[in-house]
Each structure stands twice: as C-alpha cells, then as structure tokens.
Amino acid sequence: MRELRLASIIRMWDTYLAEPNGFAMFHIYVCAAMLLKWSAQLRAMDFQQIMLFLQQPPALQWATEDVELLLSEAYMLKCLYHDAPRHLHKN
C-alpha cells in the first residue's frame, strides 16, 4: 500500500473495513486483481525484473477511479471464487 497515494490508501482501507474479514480475505483478491492487471507486462519479464516491478509498481500515478476499478475487479474475483473452493483442487 505504500506505493499508492494517501487518498487511494484511505479508499482501499474503507473497503477492507467494510468487508467481512476484509484485510485477511479481501486483500488476496486485490493482489490477484493487481497481478491480472499487469499480467502481460509480468510475463515478458525475468524473475529479477518481476521482483523489482512488484516492489515499485506503477500505481503512484493512479487516480481514485483506478483504485475503485481495481477494488471492483477484486470484488468480482471474490464473488466468483470465494465460496467455490473446488477450484483449488486437482481432480
């Protein structure tokens, strides 16, 4: 979160506090949404580049709308996968 502007951090914490088990559970989906957002860029990098990218993601330039879009994508992922634990098991 330190890579975001203060207004964006407050917006994210507002959502985390509103969600049941917000930080413990919802944060996983926020991280997944971030990885999905940058997946094309990340696939083109080697391991060291990925680590450096994730330590300083290009999120400082994000507006509040970008954070809201990220949170809505995270919520969609949560709705799709949270109550469907079978997606974690191999058949």
Side-chain angles (χ1 to χ4, degrees):
M1 285 202 182
R2 66 178 182 242
E3 292 82 11
L4 298 172
R5 293 181 187 173
L6 182 60
S8 299
I9 293 171
I10 292 170
R11 174 65 180 92
M12 289 182 78
W13 272 107
D14 181 55
T15 301
Y16 288 146
L17 293 174
E19 284 287 315
N21 295 325
F23 195 80
M25 191 58 64
F26 190 67
H27 186 67
I28 294 168
Y29 297 103
V30 171
C31 292
M34 283 184 159
L35 291 174
L36 285 172
K37 180 174 182 60
W38 295 313
S39 65
Q41 291 171 275
L42 292 171
R43 285 188 216 146
M45 297 177 185
D46 64 20
F47 180 76
Q48 184 176 0
Q49 291 171 322
I50 291 171
M51 294 306 294
L52 291 172
F53 180 87
L54 293 176
Q55 288 174 356
Q56 293 185 330
L60 264 178
Q61 297 83 20
W62 283 7
T64 304
E65 295 81 19
D66 297 317
V67 173
E68 289 176 358
L69 180 62
L70 178 78
L71 292 172
S72 65
E73 289 172 0
Y75 185 75
M76 286 180 10
L77 291 172
K78 179 186 172 209
C79 289
L80 285 171
Y81 297 111
H82 184 66
D83 291 326
R86 298 239 348 130
H87 73 280
L88 297 175
H89 302 284
K90 288 187 176 183
N91 292 337

